[in-house]
Amino acid sequence: MAGKTLRQILAENVKSRRLKTGESQEAFAERAKLHRNYPGRIERCESNVTIEVIDKIAKALNTTVCALLGGDEIPRKRQKITTILAQNVKKLRIESGLSQDGLAKRGIHRTYLRSIERERNVSIDTVEKIAKALKVKPYKLFE
């Protein structure tokens, strides 16, 4: 999956897993409790979907956010997806020897980073930026 955006990786994984269920986009949307047009927009990379929506999709497909973003199928954590992201961003930032200001110098505004570490729901594009700033694969933020 080298050279692909995180949106493209998500789109391919959602579509392939949905097709394995044999469901139409509309039927899947209903089961996942999403607007009927949303799965199609995600599969066409037209939506900057949030991690909470990715989590709903993962649950409906009986998989994990990590797997939908290109990582391994790991056991699901019982925590909210925003909590998992917050804990991992903080842990990886500290392991990298970076303060919030240090990470801000890599392109993530300090105030925004602080709100992420306080469990703010963010978009897939933001996840991609955070992963790049931390120099990790995006799915690592959800392991």
Side-chain angles (χ1 to χ4, degrees):
M1 293 189 188
K4 294 183 181 180
T5 66
L6 194 54
R7 278 193 201 195
Q8 291 170 321
I9 293 167
L10 175 68
E12 289 174 5
N13 286 329
V14 168
K15 185 174 184 173
S16 68
R17 288 171 185 263
R18 178 188 58 79
L19 290 174
K20 286 178 185 174
T21 70
E23 289 180 300
S24 67
Q25 290 174 343
E26 195 169 303
F28 174 71
E30 187 175 327
R31 188 166 59 80
K33 296 179 176 59
L34 301 171
H35 185 277
R36 65 184 174 88
N37 296 333
Y38 211 28
R41 291 178 46 81
I42 293 166
E43 291 177 9
R44 291 187 304 274
C45 301
E46 295 174 353
S47 182
N48 188 15
V49 62
T50 66
I51 60 171
E52 288 180 347
V53 170
I54 298 169
D55 193 41
K56 284 173 86 170
I57 291 168
K59 287 175 183 171
L61 292 171
N62 197 30
T63 189
T64 63
V65 170
C66 185
L68 289 178
L69 299 181
D72 293 330
E73 192 75 49
I74 58 172
R76 218 171 162 55
K77 295 183 178 180
R78 293 181 185 252
Q79 298 164 300
K80 286 177 30 178
I81 198 67
T82 53
T83 302
I84 294 167
L85 177 65
Q87 290 173 347
N88 286 337
V89 167
K90 186 172 185 176
K91 178 181 136 224
L92 291 166
R93 177 180 59 76
I94 291 168
E95 285 175 359
S96 298
L98 295 168
S99 64
Q100 288 181 341
D101 287 333
L103 192 54
K105 291 176 183 171
R106 294 186 180 178
I108 306 295
H109 193 278
R110 188 173 62 101
T111 305
Y112 194 61
L113 178 61
R114 186 177 300 135
S115 68
I116 292 166
E117 290 184 5
R118 290 183 179 150
E119 304 181 22
R120 177 181 177 172
N121 187 24
V122 298
S123 71
I124 192 167
D125 290 352
T126 300
V127 168
E128 193 164 38
K129 287 177 189 173
I130 294 167
K132 184 177 179 182
L134 288 168
K135 300 178 181 178
V136 298
K137 298 282 187 188
Y139 62 81
K140 293 285 186 188
L141 299 174
F142 299 97
E143 289 183 334

